[in-house]
Amino acid sequence: MFYVGLYRLFCSGIVEIRKGQRNYPDNNYKSEVYMSKKIVIKLNGKDVEVEKGQTILQAAKAYGVDIPHYCYHPGLSIAGNCRMCLVNVALKNPRNPEAPAKWMPKPFIACQTTVSPGMEVDTESEKTKAIQQAIMEFLLINHPLDCPECDQAGECRLQDYSYEYGQDRSRFIEEKNVRRIKNVGPHIALWGTRCIVCSRCVRFLQEISGTGELSVFERGDRSVVDIHPRREVDNPLAGNVVDLCPVGALVSRDFLYKARVWFLEHTNSICNRCSKGCNIRVDSLDGNIKRIKPRMNMAVNEYWMCDYGRFGWKSIYSDDRLLSPLRQSAPVDWKTAYHELKDTLTKAKGGGIGALVSMYATNEELYLINQLAKKSLGIEMIAPLEVEVKNDEVFPKFTIPGDKQPNRKGFDLILGETVSYDQIMDEIESKSLKSLIVFGGIPDYQYKFELVEAAEDLKILILFDLMKSDLTRIAHLTFPMLSFAEKSGTYVNADGRVQRFDKAVEPNFPAHEEINILQKMIKIQSGSQKTLTPGAIFGRLAREHSSFKRINYKSLGDQGQNIVL
Ligand code: SF4
Ligand code: SF4
Ligand code: FES
């Protein structure tokens, strides 16, 4: 009887919403106050000014009132199916706006109901709390007591709301629906029994990636999210469904049982796997990266990221990583390397020096390379070291750029006109260039055979890189580079947005930051110079380059700023 009552509450809510929207659309209001952009509603007894067209949930959030919700996600269409956001509402009669608002007999869902002038919203009375408790009880009917072993524990809305709105015991004595645990993609597993059928994952795969691998099958209390036969959730945006699942139903196979989330340290960062510059959060435990999640930035990636960026960090822990400086491919300590650097630069000077610089270099590194080239070492020509640009991968509401260089814009702005890669190759082959500095750091990059072959005849080859390669075998001096997660700096994305990333983990080898090595090189050539931090170098860049003016390293914050064009 009790559940029949709850079911009726669900259904009556739906009917009431439809009725409410049909009877009280905003454009029915004729007086001037109703036509203005801001309107006044009463939220838990207080008058507040809200945007016309906002939903109750959005308006309440703007005033710090969090209405519990599961199926609502700001990046997806509104489904209104979990009913967790039910609130009590009083409405004005549009034909008699002077009369007091009248409390509606049934609650409204806050995620879909838009505010209207004079509306009163109650999110916290005993009556509203009782509704939220009833919904929680309903959602927990089939849910297993899995928290101790569930990957989502600690960041699970079901767990949080259960604590806030739930009851301490279940009254359900009937048999629970139990679903199989299965892999639904190379990176994703589905714990069907934990699913509350909020349909966020289904909507994401329909609306954002447009791939539609998951659907809701069956009906009524048998409804279940599942994969279509002979399909896998393996599209390049698939990992986002794990992030947006509000419970532990869709979990990352990669992160599964790797860490309890409350022990993780979070660092804001920027993905460096392409020119989009998605805002990300690096989650680490004991100094080791455990996972990467997207961070909201409406000007860049909204709420999402792609799987190339999500799993790209694995190469940081590759066995091929360079862990110390090398002299003629033999490991040496840093003191010896710097001593060698002095001799090497002296030998190189005046004999035709070129540089190949990757667009994975940060703005601060590029600024120092420019100083080294123009003022101290006299590098005659600089060319970009690039990964081939492919076609963009276009999804209905997300594009993965084919240009994989994270800082092409910064490279062009800071280094100005450069020569082409082929020109450098010609100069090496004609022996006009006798020394070469390669500033690499491109993840998973393979140098072209022609470069390796030509480099064998160079008088001096100084290499900066992340991984061992054919070039480390022949370089006179090699410096190990740091990954994006092991240092701080800034990039300019393809749309001209300067974005800062912070060091998330310490490198697990004795490392020196590239900006310090470059400053050492400048010091060797032009005498003493104070060693500057990334922030101080950016300050100089902002003073000297008009595109960066008025941008301050600190004020970039966690959302970045556009350059001046
Ligand atoms: S799997 Fe997660 S996101 Fe998908 S419907 Fe179930 S609870 Fe919602
Ligand atoms: S779209 Fe580009 S920047 Fe964004 S996550 Fe993917 S690789 Fe990284
Ligand atoms: S959040 Fe409103 S019905 Fe689910």
Side-chain angles (χ1 to χ4, degrees), residues 353-357 379-384 418-433 435-438 451 454 458:
I353 311 174
L356 283 173
V357 180
I379 295 173
E380 283 157 30
M381 47 176 66
I382 297 180
T418 53
V419 300
S420 71
Y421 177 88
D422 289 344
Q423 271 172 284
I424 287 256
M425 287 308 301
D426 290 346
E427 296 292 322
I428 297 175
E429 272 154 28
S430 68
K431 309 264 187 276
S432 310
L433 274 190
S435 302
L436 185 69
I437 297 173
V438 177
L451 173 64
L458 284 167

Side-chain angles (χ1 to χ4, degrees), residues 255-326:
F255 180 68
L256 193 62
Y257 303 135
K258 293 274 166 40
R260 293 316 261 168
V261 297
W262 49 88
F263 293 128
L264 293 175
E265 276 187 44
H266 310 302
T267 312
N268 288 345
S269 189
I270 301 297
C271 175
N272 77 341
R273 286 288 169 146
C274 82
S275 57
K276 194 176 186 101
C278 289
N279 288 215
I280 56 170
R281 194 188 76 195
V282 179
D283 286 356
S284 60
L285 178 69
D286 299 332
N288 290 306
I289 300 173
K290 293 292 169 194
R291 66 177 182 185
I292 283 182
K293 293 240 171 207
R295 192 161 52 82
M296 189 193 85
N297 187 331
M298 297 312 283
V300 183
N301 52 310
E302 300 194 352
Y303 308 92
W304 325 114
M305 72 181 297
C306 78
D307 284 3
Y308 309 126
R310 188 183 294 272
F311 300 113
W313 59 271
K314 297 285 174 91
S315 60
I316 293 174
Y317 300 110
S318 156
D319 289 342
D320 285 336
R321 191 81 197 269
L322 286 166
L323 302 177
S324 74
L326 306 176

Side-chain angles (χ1 to χ4, degrees), residues 21 24-29 33-41 48-60 62 72 78 109-119:
Q21 285 180 343
Y24 307 114
D26 273 354
N27 57 6
N28 272 358
Y29 295 99
V33 61
Y34 294 148
M35 302 301 283
S36 70
K37 217 174 157 232
K38 293 264 185 194
I39 56 173
V40 175
I41 65 165
V48 292
E49 210 180 35
V50 298
E51 300 279 341
K52 187 177 170 186
Q54 275 185 318
T55 61
I56 295 175
L57 193 126
Q58 291 165 335
Y72 170 76
I78 295 173
I109 48 170
C111 65
Q112 195 169 39
T113 312
T114 46
V115 288
S116 59
M119 173 188 262

Side-chain angles (χ1 to χ4, degrees), residues 501-522:
F501 55 94
D502 295 326
K503 184 197 260 192
V505 290
E506 288 296 334
N508 49 18
F509 59 94
H512 288 195
E513 285 195 28
E514 295 84 340
I515 52 166
N516 292 343
I517 307 170
L518 289 167
Q519 290 184 84
K520 195 131 224 153
M521 288 170 87
I522 295 172

Side-chain angles (χ1 to χ4, degrees), residues 299-300 492-493 495-499 547-551 556 559-565:
V300 183
V492 188
N493 80 355
D495 295 327
R497 197 167 185 87
V498 188
Q499 305 195 95
S547 303
F548 293 89
K549 75 175 177 214
R550 290 199 299 274
I551 300 180
L556 283 173
Q559 297 281 293
Q561 247 175 283
N562 286 341
I563 49 166
V564 184
L565 288 170

Side-chain angles (χ1 to χ4, degrees), residues 127-145:
K127 197 174 160 200
T128 305
K129 288 255 178 290
I131 296 166
Q132 289 160 345
Q133 277 175 0
I135 296 296
M136 271 311 294
E137 186 171 24
F138 209 46
L139 290 170
L140 286 170
I141 279 177
N142 286 306
H143 199 81
L145 273 176

Side-chain angles (χ1 to χ4, degrees), residues 69-72 80-85 109 111:
H69 58 275
Y70 290 113
C71 68
Y72 170 76
N81 60 6
C82 75
R83 321 305 287 178
M84 190 62 210
C85 64
I109 48 170
C111 65

